[in-house]
């Protein structure tokens, strides 16, 4: 008697992460990729490919649990997935977290030349109930995204960067005051955050060799 171990009701076109990537790429603009020749993207993918599963032989695997815990919440919980909101969101951070069902929210922040704007976003996120700030450590200068040039990609005028707009109307959501601060150091960034928020601080793009 043969046993069919295949999953029921599976989409045969999406069986692996690479399948999902290819399908998603077809639905997204061609400009949604990394910078320059995409060397870092390929290197990141190769780095994950070097991870290997270590087989455990003669072990009872009849009952397995591959879930994990992030900020006190089960990461694999159905419809309860933690989310990081971009600084460049088109919706207010208060409106976004209001749609949640108790799942933790993190706020991505950039350090602008106008530090007051960065602090304003941090304080608003903490007051709204966000659990952590996610700091981009690897963007002292934004890389040239050549695919955006090739495809003439531009954010539609109707899509506003609401967190960057000055509610008083005095400053636009773009300009020199909102350029990234390329003079950042650990003391000027992480220590500054520790003095201004009780939220957890997560580092994005941190290089342990730097």
């Amino acid at each position: 008697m043969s046993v069919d171990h295949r999953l029921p009701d599976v989409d045969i076109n999406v069986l692996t992460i690479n399948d999902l990537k290819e399908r998603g790429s077809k639905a997204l603009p061609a400009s949604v990729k990394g910078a320059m020749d995409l060397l870092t993207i390929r290197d990141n993918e190769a780095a994950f490919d070097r991870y290997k599963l270590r087989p455990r032989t003669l072990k009872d695997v009849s009952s397995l649990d591959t879930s994990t815990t992030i900020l006190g919440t089960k990461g694999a919980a159905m419809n309860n997935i933690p989310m990081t909101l971009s600084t460049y969101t088109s919706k207010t951070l208060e409106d976004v977290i209001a749609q949640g069902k108790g799942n933790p929210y993190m706020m991505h922040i950039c350090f602008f030349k106008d530090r007051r704007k960065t602090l304003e976003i941090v304080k608003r996120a903490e007051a709204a109930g966000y659990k952590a700030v996610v700091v981009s450590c690897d963007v002292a200068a934004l890389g040239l995204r050549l695919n955006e040039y090739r495809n003439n990609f531009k954010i539609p005028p109707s899509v506003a960067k609401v967190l960057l707009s000055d509610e008083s109307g005095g400053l636009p959501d773009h300009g020199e005051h909102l350029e990234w601060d390329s003079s950042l150091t650990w003391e000027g960034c992480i220590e500054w955050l520790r003095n201004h928020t009780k939220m957890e601080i997560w580092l994005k793009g941190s290089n342990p060799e730097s």
Side-chain angles (χ1 to χ4, degrees), residues 28-82:
L28 293 172
S31 57
V32 182
K33 289 185 178 180
M36 296 300 290
D37 292 320
L38 311 182
L39 297 179
T40 302
I41 286 182
R42 290 197 292 270
D43 188 56
N44 287 342
E45 292 175 342
F48 279 103
D49 286 341
R50 288 193 291 270
Y51 280 96
K52 306 299 180 184
L53 294 178
R54 181 180 178 183
R56 303 284 185 173
T57 58
L58 296 179
K59 296 288 184 179
D60 183 358
V61 294
S62 59
S63 179
L64 298 177
D65 182 4
T66 59
S67 62
T68 188
T69 300
I70 301 176
L71 291 175
T73 298
K74 289 288 186 179
M78 183 69 70
N79 297 321
N80 194 29
I81 300 173

Side-chain angles (χ1 to χ4, degrees), residues 68-180:
T68 188
T69 300
I70 301 176
L71 291 175
T73 298
K74 289 288 186 179
M78 183 69 70
N79 297 321
N80 194 29
I81 300 173
M83 173 183 172
T84 301
L85 182 66
S86 170
T87 293
Y88 296 92
T89 174
S90 60
K91 301 293 182 181
T92 69
L93 60 87
E94 292 86 0
D95 287 344
V96 172
I97 198 172
Q99 303 303 314
K101 300 179 181 179
N103 50 312
Y105 279 74
M106 290 79 77
M107 186 69 223
H108 161 258
I109 63 168
C110 298
F111 278 82
F112 301 111
K113 288 183 177 180
D114 184 349
R115 186 63 63 86
R116 294 171 301 174
K117 175 56 68 174
T118 301
L119 180 59
E120 174 191 315
I121 295 173
V122 170
K123 291 299 185 182
R124 282 180 61 180
E126 188 166 21
Y130 285 68
K131 301 300 183 183
V133 289
V134 178
V135 183
S136 292
C137 300
D138 54 350
V139 284
L142 184 63
L144 289 176
R145 299 178 178 179
L146 301 184
N147 282 299
E148 293 184 2
Y149 290 92
R150 294 187 179 107
N151 296 280
N152 194 30
F153 174 79
K154 296 179 181 178
I155 297 177
S158 59
V159 179
K161 299 185 281 289
V162 295
L163 294 186
L164 305 187
S165 300
D166 185 358
E167 294 182 356
S168 66
L171 293 173
D173 62 2
H174 61 279
E176 184 177 353
H177 66 292
L178 293 179
E179 290 180 1
W180 291 342

